[in-house]
Amino acid sequence: MSADEPDAPGDAVDGDQEDSADVEDVEVTTVHRKDGVDQITERSVLLDTGDEEIVETFQVVDGEHEYLGDGDPDQRALDALEARF
């Protein structure tokens, strides 16, 4: 692909690109727990593609969701959180 050609769907950009399997079901679980005097809110997103289940966990900090895993979260999990909260 040259710089003059448009990007085609599925082209990798800056590294590997995840497969964009359709999500059949999304479940969001919210947990509130105490850590000393602080209350911590965590949300887990379960993405079911039919072939696999993906779980991404976030902590709510100042109204924003911070990813608790390594690397980058699945964008579909972020989209689900944004749509619901």
Side-chain angles (χ1 to χ4, degrees):
M1 179 170 76
S2 72
D4 296 334
E5 294 178 28
D7 291 339
D11 283 350
V13 178
D14 295 329
D16 296 332
Q17 183 175 355
E18 292 184 22
D19 294 336
S20 58
D22 290 333
V23 175
E24 293 180 3
D25 189 30
V26 176
E27 294 180 27
V28 178
T29 305
T30 301
V31 175
H32 303 284
R33 61 183 171 84
K34 286 275 196 180
D35 184 14
V37 295
D38 297 325
Q39 179 169 314
I40 296 173
T41 301
E42 292 181 354
R43 291 197 173 107
S44 294
V45 180
L46 170 71
L47 303 169
D48 185 354
T49 66
D51 294 328
E52 67 177 326
E53 291 183 344
I54 302 165
V55 178
E56 302 286 21
T57 304
F58 301 84
Q59 182 173 340
V60 180
V61 177
D62 296 327
E64 299 292 324
H65 292 96
E66 291 188 5
Y67 184 53
L68 295 178
D70 295 329
D72 294 323
D74 190 304
Q75 184 60 44
R76 297 170 295 185
L78 286 171
D79 292 344
L81 287 174
E82 186 176 298
R84 294 178 187 208
F85 299 99

